[in-house]
Structures are given as structure tokens and as C-alpha cells.
Amino acid sequence: MIRIITDSTADIPREDIQTLGVRVVPLQVNIDGQMFRDGLDLEPESFYEMLAGAKSLPTTSQPSPEQFLAEFEQAKQAGDEVVCITLSGELSGTLQSAMIAREDAGYAPIHIVDSRNVTLAEQLLVRRACHLAAAGLTAAGIAQDLEAARGRIRLLAIVDTLKYLHKGGRLSGAAALAGGLLGVKPVVGITDGRLGMLGKARGMAGAYVALFKLIEEQGGIDEAEPCFVGYTGSRAQAAPFVRFVTQNLGLEKPPVMPIGTVIGTHAGPGAAGIAFFAKEG
């Protein structure tokens, strides 16, 4: 058998994890001295309420190599092959923890894939891996496919403020300053595994228009592949994305999901985004 393992920043809905048969290694969030396992100990709605009242910005921490090793050892004992998909190695040490664990396990059929992305974009790769495993591909074949496919995945988002990304060390001070003007709403995205500001506009309506233009500039949405919409805090933030996909593009309504606690710590409340495969060629 093939085991698909990922980390909790893929933000796979809890009810889908068992259905997909995915093993999830959690990151952690520390809020005012309380430690929570991402995706396990705290629902997103409760987290954003706590975030709003937190005395200081919560901190996040990567899984230890031992957490991945426990999963790898189980696979080794069962004789299963492994495909492990992590968030971008440019954003977290999670990938490094998985690689250390693979070395400690001393088990060849463990294939680690750096998604070069995070949250819903990472989830697109995880679900693709599950589909390919069900279709009978080997773990090596799945890893090869994912490494080719990840270059077409795009993650674009609007954030209400850049202060969380800046304070969390995920965005430079210069970029935060450029996007911090009064009334300006930043558009951010992942490029080459790194987070950056891709645009900005006056007001939230203008930011959505700017982001929709970016979708086309970055290749457009491949209608043959899934796309996901996510939000932090209020689901209403996702509505313009759904309208754009269904009404402007004439595509099926995309799944809408809350963004989990680790990514929410850095994005802050009031963010919304879309993950999709760009059209080929």
C-alpha cells in the first residue's frame, strides 16, 4: 500500500482526512502561553475569536522529526510506501524535520515532496496524490507527478492587513510598509515557494479586482482541475471568489474552506484566497 502523509497546514477539513485516508502531522500554535495542535485542539472559529483578544501575536512551531518518524516507522513495519507532502521549505522547517526523520527511519520507499506552497494549494497536491494512489501509481511515480504539477499551482489571497505577516516574520518590513498605507488592501501570493506582495488597491473591492486580474496574468484557472477558496474569520470574505469562478468564468462552484490556525496566525482575520492549477502552456 501507499501512505499519503502531510502536515496540518494543508488545512484539509477534518471530515475529509479519514475519507482520503491521509495521515496528518500537526504544527502547533501558542496563544498567550496555551499550546494548541493545529487542526486538532481548536476549531478555526474559536481560534479567530482568541486571536482578536490575544495579548500578543501567537507563535507557531514546526513538527519535530520524531513526529514524522513515528509515521514513517508505522509505514516501515507495515511494508507500505510513503509519499509525504509538506508546506514550502522556504516558509518553515517542517520539510527539514521530515527529511531528518526519513534518514533516521532508514527506509528507502519514503518520498518527500516539497509542495513549494501552503494551505489550500498544498491541499491540491495532497488530494492529487490520493487520486494517483487510487489509480495504482507507485509512490515514486506519484512523487514525480507532484513535483511536475506543483509548478502550475497558484495561491493568491487578499489580506486585511500585513501586520500579522510582518510580525510573524513572513514578509519584509519594506513590503509591509508599502502595503500598509491607509485604506490600501494588499494582494499576496506564493512565488517560488516564498510569500510576497503581488499588488495592492484602495479598498477591499479594488483588491478583489486586482486579484482577479492576477489570476488571468498567472495563466488562468484550468477548469479540468479542482480549485479551492478559503477564508480566515468570516466566510463572507470568500463570496466574491465564488461569484468570480461561477459567474465570470462559468465554472462549477468551488469548495469553500476555513483556513486553519497556523496559517491564520500569519494571515490574520479578514483574509480570503483561492488556490488553483494554471492552464498548461
Side-chain angles (χ1 to χ4, degrees), residues 15-274:
E15 61 271 19
D16 290 351
I17 290 173
Q18 188 170 3
T19 303
L20 292 169
V22 175
R23 300 289 301 176
V24 178
V25 177
L27 279 76
Q28 293 184 314
V29 177
N30 187 317
I31 307 177
D32 292 337
Q34 287 184 276
M35 191 70 76
F36 299 94
R37 293 172 299 168
D38 183 32
L40 293 174
D41 299 330
L42 197 61
E43 293 296 331
E45 294 79 9
S46 301
F47 165 72
Y48 290 109
E49 289 178 9
M50 293 180 69
L51 180 62
K55 296 175 183 176
S56 58
L57 185 72
T59 58
T60 59
S61 56
Q62 69 202 47
S64 66
E66 287 75 21
Q67 287 174 268
F68 281 104
L69 182 59
E71 295 290 343
F72 294 166
E73 288 288 1
Q74 286 183 25
K76 182 178 180 179
Q77 290 171 13
D80 293 344
E81 294 184 292
V82 173
V83 178
C84 179
I85 303 151
T86 73
L87 80 158
S88 174
E90 299 285 350
L91 298 175
S92 167
T94 300
L95 172 67
Q96 187 65 27
S97 288
M99 294 180 74
I100 292 170
R102 177 175 62 183
E103 186 175 343
D104 290 345
Y107 185 53
I110 298 174
H111 303 268
I112 298 174
V113 178
D114 181 351
S115 72
R116 304 289 289 167
N117 228 304
V118 72
T119 189
L120 303 183
E122 181 184 354
Q123 186 182 149
L124 284 175
L125 277 188
V126 175
R127 288 179 182 267
R128 185 181 182 95
C130 293
H131 175 75
L132 294 173
L137 264 71
T138 64
I142 294 170
Q144 186 175 13
D145 177 275
L146 298 184
E147 287 170 352
R150 68 187 176 189
R152 288 201 298 125
I153 292 181
R154 309 284 185 265
L155 177 65
L156 301 172
I158 295 167
V159 292
D160 190 46
T161 172
L162 290 174
K163 76 173 185 178
Y164 294 95
L165 286 167
H166 175 47
K167 287 184 176 181
R170 295 310 190 271
L171 200 65
S172 71
L177 182 63
L181 302 174
L182 186 64
V184 168
K185 299 301 177 186
V187 178
V188 300
I190 301 290
T191 304
D192 296 328
R194 293 187 177 95
L195 180 74
M197 195 172 77
L198 304 181
K200 57 184 185 292
R202 287 284 178 185
M204 195 61 81
Y208 280 110
V209 171
L211 188 149
F212 297 152
K213 288 181 179 178
L214 274 171
I215 289 176
E216 297 309 312
E217 290 173 9
Q218 296 205 5
I221 296 175
D222 187 343
E223 61 188 51
E225 302 283 0
C227 75
F228 298 146
V229 171
Y231 62 92
T232 65
S234 172
R235 188 183 177 94
Q237 297 292 123
F241 286 102
V242 175
R243 286 196 296 270
F244 176 76
V245 171
T246 57
Q247 298 177 17
N248 294 56
L249 302 183
L251 304 179
E252 290 185 10
K253 182 180 178 181
V256 178
M257 310 174 195
I259 302 301
T261 59
V262 166
I263 304 306
T265 293
H266 299 292
I274 186 168

